[in-house]
Amino acid sequence: MAQTTINDISVDSSLVDPEKDLLGHANFAKYLADSICKMTFPEGFVIAVYGSWNSGKSTLLNFVVHYLQQKEDDEQPIIVPFNPWLLSGHQNITRRFFEQLQNVLSQQSSVPKGLKERLADFAAIISDIPLPYAQTGKALAALLDEKDKEAAELKEEVEDTLVQQQRRIVVTIDDIDRLPAEDIKQLFRIFKAMRNFTNVVYLLVFDKQVVIKTIADPKEISGEEYLEKIIQVSFELPIPDKISLRRLLFEKLDNIFAETPKQEINQTRWGEIYFQGIDRFINSIRDITHFINTLTVTYPAVKDEVNPVDFIAIESLRVFSPNIYSIIHQNPHILVGEVNPSIDELNSLLNTWIAQLPVEDKQPVKNLLMHLFPKLKSIFYNTCLHKKQELEWREQLRVCSLEIFPIYFRLSLPAVELSNNQIKTILGLVGDVDKFRNHLIELAKQKLPNGTTQARVFLEQLENCTEEEIPVNYIPSVVEALFDVSEELVSQDDEAKGILDFGNEVIISRCISQLLCHIDEISRFELLKKIILQGKALPIINHEIATLKEQQSQYGTEKSNYEEEWLVNAQHLKELEELTTRNLVKSDTNYKSIRLG
């Protein structure tokens, strides 16, 4: 069997040589191999080792086989490897099992003559007996009785032949937990049928809980009881300790970053980032596999263009905290560059991001953000950043360099909409008009590949927000903010957009109307009146007034029947229209005075 290299990206990769063991499985495997060779038992014996997916079960099985093959000739067993998962759904597992057993035994000179033929006959009988034993009629019942009788006779012949067999036969079976229920039961039926076969040991490795769940049948005995009837001895594969996992992770990282010059890795900084952040997420072989598989794919695309320590840290967030990773990707203006939000605003944003994480992840993620983005640390700890530092970060290819930042996200698809977490983050600011307004302005500066902005994406999703996400008492603040920033957003409309595409003006007006529907008519009127008197956002105000007029004019003489559906009543609309006209005249006069002056 070929040695599987440690940097295999397959989740199914396993080690073969115990000298490569980093998780302490080799010692257990050696003692188990010794026991299999030395123990005394009168008939077939089934041993199981339980472990979760990707916990190292296959590696352990390989180690046991390795140690069995190292035994002296007079003690070394005949090993019959069998993987039913490779055959599931394609062949009769029972027949294929006996074929494999025959093939291996026929190559052994010490195997008594006639055993292969007897096994072939026995396999044919066992394979033809249906599973489950459905007694659907007298004819079938008679057939099964006859088959069982014939199988019993052949079984005795096989047993008599095996008594002459001096070497122990060890059948190793992996991947049982990948099989469908009927295939698992068919496989276990083999063990039951061969229970009395002298000198035969079955060594099974599988995820116990998966198998129990798969074969569960409320009409029969429980999965747990089913296994107890099949398996004589079982062991739980222990979860590796943190030190062993760390050793395994670092060895796999070494393979990925083998060509990276050592001087590019600041050991002090790497130690801080790992122990204060990444270490929290490395709790199983599965975690390591997921992380290493990701780095194996993402690092070659940016090799020599990023700082290796920063890249490992960013990718750890991609794997173990994808929501935070997405927020980083979509908010470079907050984390890098010259735009500096206030400490209160930044603290509110950061707390909103972190609040959505599991308790045990909050501090490690916050630590990673602080190490990766000095701008955060400088604001929180009131320290100064110098232009010279920005040049150093650029030279070191750090993610906190505005120029380098996009390189870290080359294999990240641009978002066509904001995530739920990002929406919650933005809506978390609605209690403060200034903070909410400023954040909308920042979103308007974030251009997307399709020519639109993050602000436009947010507005389109804002229409679907519920009252729980925007409490009624905050609606006036949100509406005011939308009016305040509308001119800037409208000015960024893409002139090349299609003739049927909506401009930001329409989208903003729809959002405002949707929000106003959640407050009473008097409050709507007073809010619109206040905004008009402030003299801001005249294009949006005009659009809103025109929309209100059209809403009322289309009902003609029956309009009194629909007044409850209007945003404002006819009298209030007339007042708003008059205020708007006066403001437009005043604005036009001021504009002419400025030009003439």
Side-chain angles (χ1 to χ4, degrees):
M1 183 182 291
Q3 172 70 48
T4 303
T5 57
I6 196 155
N7 61 335
D8 260 340
I9 67 171
S10 167
V11 297
D12 297 316
S13 65
S14 55
L15 300 179
V16 175
D17 185 356
E19 291 189 5
K20 299 287 188 180
D21 178 41
L22 295 173
L23 300 176
H25 290 165
N27 282 340
F28 176 80
K30 184 178 186 303
Y31 291 129
L32 183 55
D34 289 343
S35 297
I36 288 173
C37 292
K38 294 177 180 179
M39 68 182 186
T40 301
F41 54 94
E43 55 188 26
F45 204 84
V46 182
I47 301 172
V49 179
Y50 302 137
S52 61
W53 178 82
N54 212 27
S55 62
K57 300 188 303 297
S58 297
T59 289
L60 175 72
L61 188 60
N62 291 341
F63 287 175
V64 172
V65 170
H66 172 88
Y67 286 119
L68 291 174
Q69 292 171 336
Q70 301 305 309
K71 298 294 181 182
E72 297 294 334
D73 290 345
D74 60 341
E75 190 182 13
Q76 187 179 123
I78 298 171
I79 300 171
V80 182
F82 184 64
N83 192 320
W85 181 66
L86 300 177
L87 310 166
S88 179
H90 299 287
Q91 290 179 302
N92 182 296
I93 286 180
T94 303
R95 188 180 298 279
R96 186 65 186 88
F97 170 82
F98 282 103
E99 286 178 359
Q100 174 70 354
L101 183 60
Q102 294 164 43
N103 289 337
V104 173
L105 295 182
S106 65
Q107 299 173 30
Q108 304 293 326
S109 59
S110 61
V111 174
K113 293 180 179 180
L115 180 56
K116 178 180 178 182
E117 288 74 14
R118 296 280 71 76
L119 281 172
D121 295 337
F122 181 67
I125 297 298
I126 294 294
S127 301
D128 289 340
I129 298 177
L131 178 72
Y133 296 93
Q135 300 288 332
T136 56
K138 292 182 179 180
L140 179 59
L143 173 63
L144 290 176
D145 287 342
E146 187 63 32
K147 290 283 186 183
D148 283 339
K149 182 179 178 181
E150 189 177 353
E153 293 173 354
L154 281 169
K155 182 179 178 183
E156 286 185 14
E157 292 183 30
V158 174
E159 288 173 6
D160 292 341
T161 310
L162 281 172
V163 170
Q164 306 170 40
Q165 163 65 23
Q166 298 300 313
R167 292 175 64 189
R168 185 153 291 176
I169 297 172
V170 178
V171 181
T172 63
I173 304 182
D174 198 357
D175 290 330
I176 295 174
D177 42 23
R178 296 188 179 197
L179 299 174
E182 292 307 312
D183 285 353
I184 293 176
K185 290 181 178 181
Q186 188 176 137
L187 186 63
F188 285 164
R189 189 178 64 166
I190 295 173
F191 308 148
K192 291 173 72 175
M194 296 179 67
R195 174 65 58 82
N196 297 326
F197 281 10
T198 302
N199 241 359
V200 178
V201 178
Y202 300 94
L203 177 57
L204 324 176
V205 293
F206 59 89
D207 187 322
K208 179 181 178 181
Q209 297 308 316
V210 170
V211 168
I212 287 176
K213 184 178 180 181
T214 302
I215 64 177
D217 188 339
K219 299 177 182 178
E220 301 178 4
I221 62 174
S222 69
E224 184 88 35
E225 291 177 295
Y226 191 97
L227 291 182
E228 288 177 0
K229 290 180 178 293
I230 302 294
I231 295 163
Q232 278 77 55
V233 177
S234 62
F235 302 92
E236 290 283 350
L237 192 64
I239 298 174
D241 59 74
K242 290 286 281 189
I243 295 175
S244 298
L245 289 171
R246 192 179 303 144
R247 190 181 300 122
L248 176 61
L249 173 65
F250 289 176
E251 182 162 335
K252 293 201 170 192
L253 286 173
D254 282 347
N255 281 275
I256 294 175
F257 294 88
E259 298 180 9
T260 301
K262 249 187 171 180
Q263 62 270 22
E264 290 187 14
I265 299 178
N266 183 314
Q267 285 293 317
T268 301
R269 186 162 175 272
W270 165 236
E272 291 174 344
I273 283 178
Y274 182 81
F275 286 106
Q276 295 179 26
I278 299 173
D279 191 58
R280 153 70 191 95
F281 303 112
I282 306 301
N283 301 303
S284 66
I285 299 178
R286 181 184 301 190
D287 294 333
I288 293 175
T289 301
H290 193 185
F291 190 27
I292 291 299
N293 286 353
T294 300
L295 284 168
T296 302
V297 174
T298 58
Y299 184 63
V302 295
K303 185 176 174 289
D304 301 326
E305 296 183 75
V306 295
N307 182 285
V309 173
D310 277 22
F311 191 75
I312 293 172
I314 285 289
E315 291 301 286
S316 74
L317 292 173
R318 182 204 289 266
V319 173
F320 302 113
S321 191
N323 288 334
I324 295 296
Y325 175 86
S326 178
I327 287 171
I328 292 172
H329 182 202
Q330 300 298 330
N331 292 277
H333 61 290
I334 293 176
L335 303 169
V336 298
E338 297 181 357
V339 177
N340 288 317
S342 69
I343 187 168
D344 288 339
E345 179 182 1
L346 188 59
N347 196 39
S348 176
L349 284 171
L350 190 59
N351 286 338
T352 303
W353 299 345
I354 301 298
Q356 299 166 50
L357 298 172
V359 174
E360 62 272 17
D361 291 353
K362 290 182 179 180
Q363 192 58 51
V365 168
K366 190 171 183 178
N367 292 340
L368 285 173
L369 291 174
M370 292 294 179
H371 282 300
L372 289 169
F373 302 105
K375 180 178 174 181
L376 293 180
K377 188 178 288 188
S378 71
I379 293 176
F380 277 105
Y381 296 102
N382 196 27
T383 58
C384 294
L385 295 177
H386 304 289
K387 190 68 176 177
K388 182 180 178 182
Q389 290 175 285
E390 170 64 31
L391 296 175
E392 290 175 356
W393 298 334
R394 169 65 184 83
E395 185 178 342
Q396 295 166 2
L397 307 179
R398 293 273 304 276
V399 68
C400 55
S401 167
L402 185 60
E403 184 178 348
I404 301 298
F405 182 92
I407 299 175
Y408 282 76
F409 300 93
R410 278 185 183 164
L411 283 179
S412 298
L413 294 174
V416 295
E417 62 179 29
L418 297 170
S419 69
N420 289 334
N421 285 333
Q422 289 173 289
I423 293 292
K424 289 178 181 177
T425 297
I426 299 169
L427 294 180
L429 304 174
V430 297
D432 187 308
V433 178
D434 291 333
K435 289 181 181 178
F436 183 67
R437 180 194 304 112
N438 292 337
H439 196 71
L440 285 182
I441 292 173
E442 289 302 322
L443 289 176
K445 296 176 182 177
Q446 297 177 39
K447 292 282 188 179
L448 297 177
N450 61 6
T452 188
T453 66
Q454 286 284 30
R456 170 64 179 259
V457 174
F458 170 70
L459 291 172
E460 290 176 329
Q461 292 179 244
L462 185 63
E463 288 189 58
N464 300 320
C465 290
T466 64
E467 291 184 26
E468 289 77 19
E469 292 171 304
I470 306 179
V472 172
N473 57 312
Y474 287 152
I475 286 178
S477 298
V478 176
V479 171
E480 281 193 62
L482 290 175
F483 271 109
D484 286 348
V485 301
S486 62
E487 289 187 13
E488 183 160 352
L489 296 178
V490 170
S491 68
Q492 295 187 2
D493 268 343
D494 183 9
E495 294 180 1
K497 67 178 182 296
I499 58 173
L500 295 179
D501 192 11
F502 297 114
N504 283 336
E505 182 178 284
V506 174
I507 299 298
I508 293 171
S509 181
R510 282 182 56 83
C511 286
I512 290 172
S513 296
Q514 291 276 0
L515 290 167
L516 290 176
C517 286
H518 295 294
I519 59 178
D520 62 84
E521 196 273 345
I522 295 295
S523 299
R524 295 174 204 155
F525 169 67
E526 293 296 337
L527 178 58
L528 290 172
K529 182 178 178 181
K530 174 185 175 182
I531 291 169
I532 292 171
L533 289 173
Q534 290 174 347
K536 298 178 181 178
L538 292 179
I540 295 296
I541 289 172
N542 279 334
H543 188 280
E544 195 66 25
I545 293 295
T547 300
L548 294 173
K549 287 178 66 178
E550 184 175 351
Q551 184 186 59
Q552 296 186 12
S553 65
Q554 61 183 311
Y555 297 107
T557 58
E558 299 179 3
K559 64 182 181 181
S560 59
N561 298 328
Y562 298 92
E563 285 188 355
E564 289 185 3
E565 300 178 13
W566 298 345
L567 285 177
V568 294
N569 61 40
Q571 179 58 39
H572 285 159
L573 175 58
K574 184 177 180 181
E575 289 184 44
L576 293 177
E577 189 175 8
E578 289 173 354
L579 283 174
T580 302
T581 301
R582 286 202 295 269
N583 267 4
L584 285 172
V585 172
K586 182 179 178 181
S587 175
D588 187 54
T589 302
N590 290 339
Y591 174 71
K592 290 179 179 178
S593 298
I594 292 172
R595 290 191 63 188
L596 293 174

